Amino acid sequence: MAEMKGKSRDEIIREDVKTLHGLGYAQQLFREMGRFSNFAISFSIISILTGAIILFGYGLKFAGPIINTVGWPLVSLFTLAIAASMAEIASAYPTAGGLYYWAHRLGGKTWAWVTAWLNMLGQITITAGINMAAAIYLTGMFVFLFNIPGDATVPILGAVNGWNFWLFVMAIIMIPQVLINVMGIKLTTRLSDFSVYWHIGGVVVIALLLTTFGKYHNSLAFMFSTVQTVLPADVSSTFAIGPLTVDSIMLKIIPGLGGLYGAGIFAFAFVLALLQAQWTYTGYDASAHMAEETYLARMNSAWGVFLSVAVSAVVGYVVLLALTNSIPPDKIAETANAPYAVLFIAQNALAPFFANVIAVIIGVAMWLCGLSSITSMARMWFAFARDEGMPGSGYLKRVSHRWRTPANAIVVTSILAWLITVYSAGFSVIVSMSTTALYLAYAIPVYLNWRNKRKGQGEFTTKETAPWSLGKWGPVLNVICFLWVAFITILFSIPPNELAGWTMITLAVLLVLYWQVSERRRFTGPRKVTEEELAAIEKEFAI
């Protein structure tokens, strides 16, 4: 922004606070983040060393190596259209809980309320998925490093490679993440910044080790091969709810669906396998949620949203190609069905020391990813509670005077993330729920902005209101955004992730009832606040 050139950091922050006041909020949180730190928080949550790694076997068993060589760039292109559409709106409305606030300004309180609940569910489930991924992976890493038998058991918790033990590990790794988040944005920011270097440096090290010292270097034909070790029909007949196994309901009630699964169509298996890439690309709305803690927020938050996806697309492709190139060519099925597919590749392709290095790099990256996810999740819940949008708002909106963080929201949402993992009983179900909920929340304000711009009514982004502008490309990218979201919403709600679909349907019904019975009359959206009220709030925090 040209008008910001030559201004000091303090002057820029004063402009940011003035902008925030114009949106109706006081500056309660520390504004410590610059462009890199804002980008870092989203890049860390995307974490190509979490989603792409933990779901490596998931994609491989449905489609084979082609899911990495073709599937990843395909999903990357569609996700860039979504990120660009979101970044433009973030530039116009730089506030915490961004998606909810955007939807309110662009479509009114009903759209805002729906967006908020989808975003909150998505934030909870993505944190659950990330930290369960870390628990699964770290368990595998220690089993791998210390030669613990795969069928080892622990008293009360059961099998080391079982869901109950993973839940225990997940709780253990989340405790320091919660404490660090509570104790201030400065420490969280430093760790998020470090996470960028760790992820990029880690990918370089992994790629060099596998390329230079790896035993296997596969042909180009192998990289584009279609090898199916699991068919959609093999995993579609039942789904689990906690300890219960339930016969598929969708296959019985949706005409032709059972036939689709039984037909053995490769294209269908291929798109189901795209969950690997699409779930990896979640959480980049964090840059918008951190806007109130970012200086020059109109530009830096927008760039954070977009660049986190763009950089992840390149870095993620590098690591996926390196791993695919190192799959033992005669062990594709073993790799795909291994409890820890990437560790299986490292163990077979490298000397033990180098394999251990890769294991540690990925384990640390996953923990850092979970740390950043809690940061973003808590800001979204805090922002909605600040506008009295949910039960318990009075408690969740409190900001710690000592640490200047939404401490209550951090603790409560972290507990909820663990509890929803208990309910889901399957990793792909968690990631399907988070992907569906988050992308619906992403698409709603994009659709509203496109709709208003097309009709020339209401608020919408312009070059004047959104300095990070897509210009004439905006409407085209917007349409790509919400069409792709509609497609993946259906795709990731059917078997083998049927529980995610029924959960979203049940949630929709409950939200409609809750809205009609209570919130339609009670909820007003962001409150109009005078400068005197804002000054009183900021005085309380000695600003």
Side-chain angles (χ1 to χ4, degrees):
M1 294 173 67
E3 66 269 20
M4 290 298 179
K5 290 182 178 180
K7 291 190 177 183
S8 68
R9 180 188 175 97
D10 288 343
E11 289 173 320
I12 291 173
I13 289 176
R14 282 196 290 272
E15 289 291 330
D16 286 324
V17 173
K18 183 179 178 181
T19 298
L20 185 61
H21 283 193
L23 299 176
Y25 298 114
Q27 184 69 51
Q28 293 176 275
L29 309 174
F30 274 130
R31 202 174 278 273
E32 291 286 340
M33 286 185 165
R35 176 180 292 183
F36 182 81
S37 295
N38 184 278
F39 152 80
I41 198 81
S42 287
F43 181 80
S44 297
I45 296 174
I46 291 175
S47 182
I48 37 79
L49 292 179
T50 298
I53 297 301
I54 203 67
L55 288 176
F56 190 89
Y58 181 91
L60 190 65
K61 68 185 179 183
F62 277 118
I66 196 172
I67 196 62
N68 297 321
T69 50
V70 175
W72 179 268
L74 176 68
V75 171
S76 297
L77 289 173
F78 284 111
T79 307
L80 279 169
I82 297 169
S85 299
M86 291 169 60
E88 183 175 51
I89 307 174
S91 180
Y93 307 112
T95 181
L99 306 175
Y100 144 71
Y101 187 88
W102 306 346
H104 183 268
R105 293 290 290 263
L106 297 168
K109 70 174 188 176
T110 304
W111 283 111
W113 192 82
V114 171
T115 302
W117 279 100
L118 287 169
N119 199 195
M120 289 191 300
L121 175 65
Q123 291 282 347
I124 290 288
T125 48
I126 191 178
T127 302
I130 288 166
N131 278 314
M132 177 49 79
I136 294 170
Y137 181 85
L138 289 171
T139 301
M141 185 180 79
F142 280 100
V143 167
F144 174 57
L145 292 178
F146 297 104
N147 295 315
I148 299 171
D151 58 354
T153 60
V154 176
I156 301 175
L157 298 174
V160 168
N161 287 332
W163 196 255
N164 289 338
F165 185 76
W166 290 336
L167 284 169
F168 170 75
V169 175
M170 179 182 173
I172 295 300
I173 64 177
M174 286 183 73
I175 291 171
Q177 292 173 342
V178 170
L179 292 175
I180 289 169
N181 268 283
V182 167
M183 291 190 295
I185 192 61
K186 287 186 178 181
L187 179 57
T188 308
T189 297
R190 290 192 185 102
L191 286 170
S192 294
D193 291 354
F194 170 73
S195 179
V196 175
Y197 298 114
W198 185 269
H199 275 80
I200 294 176
V203 165
V204 171
V205 170
I206 292 170
L208 286 175
L209 288 177
L210 290 172
T211 303
T212 306
F213 300 106
K215 295 178 184 178
Y216 307 102
H217 297 93
N218 293 306
S219 66
L220 187 63
F222 176 91
M223 300 292 283
F224 285 88
S225 61
T226 59
V227 181
Q228 292 180 273
T229 58
V230 173
L231 298 174
D234 299 334
V235 292
S236 63
S237 59
T238 62
F239 63 94
I241 304 176
L244 302 176
T245 299
V246 181
D247 290 337
S248 172
I249 301 170
M250 289 186 179
L251 293 183
K252 296 176 181 177
I253 66 173
I254 300 177
L257 191 60
L260 177 61
Y261 279 86
I265 301 170
F266 175 75
F268 180 58
F270 178 84
V271 294
L272 284 176
L274 294 178
L275 178 63
Q276 173 198 9
Q278 197 65 71
W279 181 67
T280 304
Y281 285 123
T282 47
Y284 49 90
D285 53 319
S287 291
H289 296 312
M290 304 307 294
E292 292 180 29
E293 293 157 273
T294 303
Y295 66 86
L296 196 53
R298 284 188 183 275
M299 291 299 287
N300 289 342
S301 293
W303 277 116
V305 170
F306 182 77
L307 286 178
S308 61
V309 173
V311 175
S312 294
V314 176
V315 178
Y317 201 39
V318 170
V319 75
L320 286 175
L321 290 179
L323 288 167
T324 307
N325 187 45
S326 300
I327 295 173
D330 58 339
K331 295 182 178 180
I332 295 178
E334 287 182 65
T335 304
N337 294 304
Y340 315 101
V342 169
L343 292 180
F344 182 86
I345 293 171
Q347 188 176 27
N348 279 271
L350 295 167
F353 174 77
F354 290 144
N356 293 347
V357 169
I358 288 178
V360 172
I361 287 171
I362 295 171
V364 173
M366 287 185 175
W367 186 86
L368 290 168
C369 176
L371 174 78
S372 297
S373 187
I374 289 175
T375 307
S376 175
M377 171 179 67
R379 267 58 180 186
M380 173 59 221
W381 281 65
F382 157 77
F384 196 43
R386 183 172 57 181
D387 290 327
E388 305 295 332
M390 70 186 84
S393 290
Y395 180 78
L396 291 169
K397 70 181 180 181
R398 293 177 190 169
V399 174
S400 166
H401 284 68
R402 179 179 181 184
W403 304 111
R404 296 280 293 282
T405 57
N408 293 351
I410 291 168
V411 174
V412 170
T413 54
S414 298
I415 293 172
L416 289 174
W418 187 83
L419 290 175
I420 204 168
T421 313
V422 176
Y423 157 79
S424 64
F427 185 71
S428 66
V429 173
I430 302 172
V431 301
S432 294
M433 283 194 291
S434 63
T435 303
T436 301
L438 280 176
Y439 272 94
L440 285 172
Y442 294 172
I444 287 173
V446 173
Y447 164 74
L448 294 171
N449 187 44
W450 171 83
R451 181 200 66 179
N452 293 355
K453 193 175 295 186
R454 185 172 61 87
K455 292 183 176 180
Q457 298 175 354
E459 291 190 30
F460 51 86
T461 56
T462 65
K463 290 183 178 180
E464 291 71 34
T465 60
W468 201 98
S469 175
L470 294 174
K472 64 180 181 179
W473 292 102
V476 175
L477 293 173
N478 295 165
V479 171
I480 293 172
C481 166
F482 51 76
L483 289 180
W484 180 251
V485 170
F487 172 68
I488 63 174
T489 296
I490 297 170
L491 184 65
F492 300 148
S493 299
I494 58 177
N497 302 305
E498 184 170 346
L499 180 59
W502 289 118
T503 301
M504 295 304 298
I505 291 169
T506 302
L507 175 69
V509 171
L510 292 175
L511 285 178
V512 168
L513 291 174
Y514 184 37
W515 174 257
Q516 292 295 335
V517 171
S518 172
E519 300 302 277
R520 184 165 58 91
R521 290 179 294 274
R522 189 198 66 83
F523 179 69
T524 59
R527 298 178 299 114
K528 293 183 179 180
V529 184
T530 66
E531 280 293 328
E532 290 74 19
E533 290 175 298
L534 295 174
I537 294 171
E538 292 175 350
K539 184 178 180 181
E540 181 183 351
F541 289 89
I543 298 175

